[in-house]
Amino acid sequence: MLSKRIVVCLDVKNGRTTKGIKFKNNVDVGDPVEMARIYYEEGADEIVFYDITASAEYRDIMIDVVEKVAQQIFIPFSVGGGVRSLDDMRRVLLAGAEKVSVNTAAVLNPKLIEEGAKAFGSQCIVLGMDVKKVTPTEKIPSGYEIVIHGGRTYTGIDALWWAKEAENLGAGEICLNSIDADGTQAGYEVNLTKLISENVSIPVIASGGAGVPEHLYEVLTTAKADAALIASMVHYGTYTIREIKEYLHNKGVKVRMVW
């Protein structure tokens, strides 16, 4: 049985780590380079770096910040935001990332997933999904809709269909973020996570809503997520990664212990 992963997310805007609630009212919480180093030393299994305004502002990702973070950590490092082409993917990987996360660009050009998987391997291609709960319709039967441009543009695309399609195109992993739960610290969107994880064969990272260790236990067991992404609960010093992992270990969840 593979260990469950604890993934720390750094949402970066103008070179600084920020945190919002439901994609709004973001506040500055620190320097991403320093924070990445601390989380690596504390035992994070992976760091995810999102340039959260690159897509909406139609600009390139901040490669210089990516390079500085990569120099500080020696665990898998996934980077997204403003990645629109194979050349963008190549630059991110050469800057030190192990994985490239595509979200808005993949929705607008699904072939990007296929091209990236062929060029760099499926293990390098992560599909980022920002999802909003909606009233089920014939077009969106699951009741979960894909939203792009940092939560600004509704697409009319069903989240379950898109997850399956992305897997078929070659995505090696899905980072599944619930906009409704994002930053609330009230718990993950368990129903959404379970729906996706039970219908694809690639790993699913649950994202959005972690507030206490119990939330991670629930999403990793009940919802069958392969990994749990956290931000607020460590950014604000409420918990350490060690405390979270010790809780999960004591509950019988297999996690990587590094002390």
Side-chain angles (χ1 to χ4, degrees), residues 5 33 185 212:
R5 290 172 289 144
V33 180
Q185 300 188 63
V212 295

Side-chain angles (χ1 to χ4, degrees):
M1 177 181 172
L2 292 175
S3 296
K4 300 290 189 177
R5 290 172 289 144
I6 306 303
V7 180
V8 180
C9 180
L10 302 175
D11 285 336
V12 178
K13 180 179 181 182
N14 299 324
R16 298 284 294 177
T17 304
T18 73
K19 194 71 197 84
I21 298 176
K22 300 183 180 180
F23 285 30
K24 297 178 180 178
N25 303 316
N26 284 63
V27 296
D28 187 311
V29 294
D31 171 47
V33 180
E34 178 66 13
M35 293 172 75
R37 182 186 62 78
I38 291 171
Y39 294 140
Y40 158 65
E41 292 174 348
E42 283 188 356
D45 297 303
E46 191 166 327
I47 300 290
V48 172
F49 174 109
Y50 289 131
D51 189 331
I52 61 171
T53 59
S55 291
E57 294 173 359
Y58 300 97
R59 61 169 173 78
D60 290 339
I61 199 166
M62 294 178 178
I63 287 292
D64 60 327
V65 182
V66 173
E67 289 176 339
K68 289 175 183 175
V69 171
Q71 290 167 4
Q72 296 292 320
I73 62 175
F74 301 94
I75 52 175
F77 179 32
S78 178
V79 174
V83 177
R84 304 179 187 87
S85 66
L86 279 183
D87 185 58
D88 289 339
M89 291 181 177
R90 186 175 291 106
R91 289 193 303 126
V92 165
L93 294 171
L94 288 174
E98 280 76 28
K99 303 176 185 179
V100 179
S101 181
V102 288
N103 187 328
T104 296
V107 172
L108 299 177
N109 175 25
K111 278 195 171 183
L112 182 61
I113 298 172
E114 187 174 23
E115 292 169 354
K118 286 180 179 177
F120 309 112
S122 289
Q123 79 283 352
C124 290
I125 309 302
V126 180
L127 176 72
M129 292 174 54
D130 292 332
V131 181
K132 190 91 168 85
K133 189 172 185 178
V134 296
T135 301
T137 63
E138 186 176 344
K139 194 173 182 181
I140 309 175
S142 73
Y144 292 101
E145 183 175 355
I146 296 294
V147 185
I148 59 174
H149 293 131
R152 296 167 179 82
T153 306
Y154 286 76
T155 64
I157 296 172
D158 184 82
L160 178 57
W161 176 87
W162 180 227
K164 292 178 179 178
E165 179 69 6
E167 180 181 14
N168 291 335
L169 288 168
E173 189 170 54
I174 291 172
C175 188
L176 179 65
N177 189 49
S178 166
I179 295 174
D180 299 294
D182 178 75
T184 64
Q185 300 188 63
Y188 294 93
E189 227 285 20
V190 172
N191 291 333
L192 168 64
T193 307
K194 187 175 182 181
L195 175 70
I196 301 300
S197 63
E198 288 184 340
N199 282 282
V200 297
S201 59
I202 55 178
V204 174
I205 303 171
S207 172
V212 295
E214 288 84 352
H215 293 154
L216 282 80
Y217 177 75
E218 181 181 27
V219 84
L220 293 170
T221 56
T222 303
K224 304 177 182 178
D226 298 275
L229 184 146
I230 57 177
S232 298
M233 62 192 297
V234 288
H235 290 348
Y236 297 127
T238 312
Y239 295 93
T240 65
I241 294 167
R242 178 170 183 158
E243 288 172 337
I244 295 167
K245 284 194 168 185
E246 286 181 341
Y247 171 85
L248 293 170
H249 173 74
N250 291 336
K251 292 283 284 185
V253 177
K254 186 178 181 183
V255 292
R256 183 181 68 97
M257 309 293 276
V258 293
W259 44 83

